[in-house]
Structure formats: structure tokens, C-alpha cells
């Protein structure tokens, strides 16, 4: 999904100001934390897994670790 589509989606729901862009990379938890000026624990990261029952989406603290085999 393009950033324009994301902005339009949020704007249509009155949340246009919720999309943040940075002049530096925010591709990793560490880089995102530096860009925002917070500790990595304050960054939410999203992991997705495919299982026989369907897809699983996990949102967790940026400094948390997960055992991929469990999912």
C-alpha cells in the first residue's frame, strides 16, 4: 500500500495527522526509536506468521523477542 493510500485512509477517518514520515530511515526498531527520540521499547513492531489455521498478526514492544517456532 502506498503512503498516499495510507494517508487517504486515515484522513477519511479523521486521523490524517497520525501518519509520520521522517527524513531518516525508520526501517528497524532501533532506527525508528532514534528517529522519534524514544527508547526501542516504545516502538511497536508487527510480526506476521502463516499457520495452517490462517494468518497470525502479533504487535509487540520493539525490544521484545519472540520464539518464531511457537508461531
Amino acid at each position: 500500500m502506498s503512503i498516499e493510500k495510507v494517508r487517504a485512509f486515515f484522513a477519511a477517518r479523521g486521523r490524517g495527522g497520525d501518519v509520520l514520515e521522517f527524513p531518516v530511515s525508520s526501517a528497524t526498531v532501533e532506527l525508528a526509536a532514534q528517529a522519534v527520540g524514544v527508547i526501542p521499547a516504545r516502538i511497536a513492531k508487527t510480526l506476521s506468521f502463516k499457520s495452517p489455521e490462517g494468518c497470525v498478526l502479533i504487535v509487540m514492544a520493539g525490544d521484545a523477542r519472540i520464539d518464531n517456532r511457537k508461531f
Side-chain angles (χ1 to χ4, degrees), residues 33-50:
Q34 289 173 7
V36 179
V38 298
I39 61 172
R42 301 289 297 163
I43 300 296
K45 65 181 173 185
T46 306
L47 304 169
S48 61
F49 298 92
K50 185 175 182 181

Side-chain angles (χ1 to χ4, degrees), residues 28-69:
T28 66
V29 168
E30 291 77 18
L31 291 173
Q34 289 173 7
V36 179
V38 298
I39 61 172
R42 301 289 297 163
I43 300 296
K45 65 181 173 185
T46 306
L47 304 169
S48 61
F49 298 92
K50 185 175 182 181
S51 73
E53 295 82 26
C55 294
V56 177
L57 190 67
I58 300 172
V59 179
M60 56 196 291
D63 65 342
R65 299 190 57 84
I66 193 165
D67 183 347
N68 291 357
R69 291 172 292 173

